Amino acid sequence: MLRRIKSERAGLVESVAGWSARNRTAAIAAWLLLVVMAVMSSSLFPGEEARATDPGEAGRGQRMVSAQNAGDSIRENVMIRAGAGADPSTRRAATKDLVAALRAVPGAVQDVGSPLGAHGGRWVSEDCTADLVTFEIAGPGAEFDANREAAGAVVAKVARQHPGARVDQAGDSSLASAVDDGIKSDMKRAETTSLPLTVVILLAVFGSLVAAGIPLLLSATAVAATFGLLDTLGRWVPFNSAASAIVLLIGMAVGIDYSLFHLRRIREERAAGHSVQEALRIASRTSGHAVLVSGLTVMVCMTGLLFTGVDVFKGLTLGTVLVVGLAVLGSMTALPALVAALGDRVDLGRIPWLGRRRTAAGRSRLWTAVAGHVVRRPLLTGGAAAVLLAAMALPALGMHLQDATQIQSLPRGVSAAADAGARMQQVFPGVTTPARVVVSADGPEIRAAADRLHEQAARSDGALREPITMVPVGEALVIRVPLGGAGTDPESEQALEFLREKALPATVGAVRGAEGAERVEVAVAGRTAMPYDFTRQVNARTPLVFAFVLVLAFVLLAVAFRSLALPLVSIALNLLSIGAAYGVLVAVFQGGRLESLLDFNAYGGVVSWLPLFMFIILFGLSMDYHIFILSRIRERWTRSPGGRDGSREAIVGGIAASAGVVTSAAVIMVGVFSVFTTLSSIEYKMLGTGMAVAILIDATVVRGVLLPASLALLGDRAWTMPGRWGRSGRAGEFARPS
């Protein structure tokens, strides 16, 4: 039964590729039509994009504000200090002029708070060297943008009028704009950097312009179609713009890798004397089958993110599944059609001194020697490699999950607002990232209860800070409470817990509703509450996600290779490489190493979503190499005479034959993900470093040493099932490469 199922799968891949090769014009036209329809699909479904909701209490507070249909509370902060050598009175003079100028702008701002009003001491720093002016930007809709620009112009004008004063502005709008501008800049940099880098690597891999252009063309069209579909499906599934760079680079990486697997096998078979049609048939039955299995693995593994129940992961999952699925489809249809249409012209535009050697697609001498040494001493070499990776993974035991604030996410000097926010955080802690307490109703009794939060702040030992402000949003009330700490560090989390568990129940949380039967609904949102609730939910669901991915990988490999030992070994090797990447991530970013080289500001933690995301995507992507190498080894094992010598020769031959394509694919993956390290956001830098290190380890230490060592120790047991399944012999899909 298993053999019959596997044969049907191989027949499907082969028949699709064969039809595409015979009907090359129709296949290429259908692929281009699919891409065009996907790109244009967003115009067919007009409407607003779905918005992601934060998990937990923070998400509840967000929904309470959205339900008001009255916009949101957008507050800006301006800190004024006397410049070096300036008269201290300059500070207060600038403050007075700023407050007067803001109030003179008709309808642009409201609820101006400053040292000049009631309880003005709350807007003065503890050392009395800085004043704070806060104000709400009035809306709604298009008026908000005009009002924001008007308020910004007022602040800039006052700063020019008082050159002896230092004026810093940072708040909801300015910091959000800085982050958005950083994301847009990162997207442009990712596009402009990844494309030339990929072209150079492909030229080095294939040695000809035409052969290098095919993977680039297919991956680019797959990415374009994905973003077109995301624009359409974004009406129903929230897609975070920050995920765009991730989908782009993953799409480029897997799209090129899948095409690379196909093209290298076609070249190998052509070099062996087969015709173009025969080479395509063999490649579809071997490399094509491996691409299909690995692509499905990536897609199904990514769905594990949905078990977290977090909205922002829905769009990321959808984008990754779409781009990988389209890359697989393109490699099975458009690529065979292009190769069949081009024939030997696929090698046109050969690069001197490189093209002829790349076209040969022979065995790797280096990896032949390495694999040969490993299989002769599998326990020693494999044990040494395992100890090395375990040592690299040790720092991961001290991993501290902590999201970066808007200020921490950008390196110094990239954004004036982020730099201003960093200075403001030192003088007025928590002002730029306050807790947003959302109360479902407003009224005198609630206002009176909210005023008692000032007393709670005075008795909180610095957990709750001033100035505490409140503003109505529709029928609700939004109270801003600055928290101690950096915004997402343990001190801020303790302050958030104090606010939720002690301060609010004693104040607004104790107010009865209109009929006195129920208390008003209260929820705490904001830049501290969101990552706090997000991390707690993700951590609670992580065991379920891990179990899903591990069971999936086990079943997939057990079915694909009819073995129980092989899936267990594969899972162990993947966990080792991922653990080593975690260790590097902690050492570099949490420990602050390479801070100047990678241009980031260490804040003592690792982004909370990153380890889980890396685990899922790496487990899927590692199957590209793993299944490809195992398929080449199994081809040789099924033809070997058996015994230890036959098994070892199959291992060495499979490693050597696949080394070229695996090395090339790894170089492309590492190169593409290294682009992340050049982006401004620290989240991208962490992701790029972790992924590049993991893929590098996976393609060298794991696939070149640990995998052959494990297979040599297992011998024939690696390829057989216990009992009667183990007596199925050396048959199977990978046994028939031609």
Side-chain angles (χ1 to χ4, degrees), residues 439-452:
V439 188
S440 60
D442 191 8
E445 187 178 1
I446 292 175
R447 293 283 181 126
D451 280 335
R452 294 198 295 273

Side-chain angles (χ1 to χ4, degrees), residues 374-375 378-379 381-383 565-566 569-570 572-573 576 651 702 705-715 717-718:
V374 169
V375 297
L379 191 59
T381 54
L566 199 60
V569 169
S570 301
L573 298 184
L576 264 178
I651 295 169
V702 173
V705 179
L706 282 172
L707 178 61
S710 302
L711 294 178
L713 290 172
L714 287 171
R717 291 171 296 178

